[in-house]
Amino acid sequence: MKTPTPDQPLTQEQETAQTKNGYLALVSRLLLEEKLPIRFMYKTVPEHLNDTGWRMFTGYETEEFLENELVNMMPIPLERICQLDPSLTELVEYNAGTVWERTPDSEGWERVYDFRIPAPRVEVDITNDVDRFSQQREGS
């Protein structure tokens, strides 16, 4: 595959050429319990072998709702989600970094370019002090 250049848009083939792994998507509990449609979704880097990286939302989730991911986000087979909403079938072929939304008054999905996909925060302590580094390693 040819390396993309910043001045040229990616082709459909480049947009969907990523290695496909996993079969699960994390979806908002509101999709299943309240029977609300998917209106916003993005693909992040998968977190484990069964994860596709897709995260799907209704658009009605609050900050508090999203903070409790273990309770409010459910792993569902991507194939099942596409059966429930066939408009997702082509979109879920796209690579990580892709964001899509559909508003209630729109005909279909629109690509979003200005959304920053959340990434897990990792605490890192960097030091050039060899003694401090040795103490940290011995203490762990």
Side-chain angles (χ1 to χ4, degrees):
M1 182 170 85
K2 197 169 90 173
T3 304
T5 60
D7 298 330
Q8 295 176 335
L10 296 174
T11 65
Q12 176 76 15
E13 181 181 318
Q14 291 167 326
E15 289 271 22
T16 60
Q18 193 175 61
T19 303
K20 307 294 186 237
N21 288 325
Y23 66 95
L24 296 173
L26 276 181
V27 301
S28 169
R29 186 171 44 88
L30 296 178
L31 294 166
L32 303 169
E33 292 179 4
E34 303 294 327
K35 306 285 192 250
L36 296 171
I38 297 168
R39 298 240 184 252
F40 184 79
M41 63 184 204
Y42 62 82
K43 185 172 184 176
T44 186
V45 175
E47 294 180 11
H48 52 80
L49 289 176
N50 293 331
D51 184 16
T52 61
W54 282 107
R55 308 297 182 255
M56 300 178 180
F57 308 91
T58 66
Y60 293 106
E61 294 82 5
T62 63
E63 289 291 326
E64 295 80 27
F65 183 93
L66 294 173
E67 285 176 7
N68 196 348
E69 185 177 292
L70 290 175
V71 171
N72 295 319
M73 296 297 288
M74 303 174 72
I76 304 293
L78 191 59
E79 183 178 340
R80 179 69 182 130
I81 295 293
C82 290
Q83 288 171 350
L84 295 172
D85 185 346
S87 73
L88 301 175
T89 304
E90 287 183 27
L91 302 180
V92 297
E93 294 295 319
Y94 280 78
N95 296 338
T98 306
V99 181
W100 297 92
E101 74 176 342
R102 64 177 163 187
T103 58
D105 55 342
S106 71
E107 289 292 315
W109 290 93
E110 292 181 29
R111 184 100 179 248
V112 176
Y113 294 96
D114 60 350
F115 177 76
R116 185 177 179 144
I117 295 175
R121 183 154 171 79
V122 177
E123 295 294 328
V124 177
D125 186 19
I126 299 174
T127 181
N128 288 328
D129 182 349
V130 175
D131 293 330
R132 186 170 147 223
F133 178 76
S134 296
Q135 289 172 350
Q136 288 176 341
R137 296 209 17 119
E138 290 169 6
S140 40

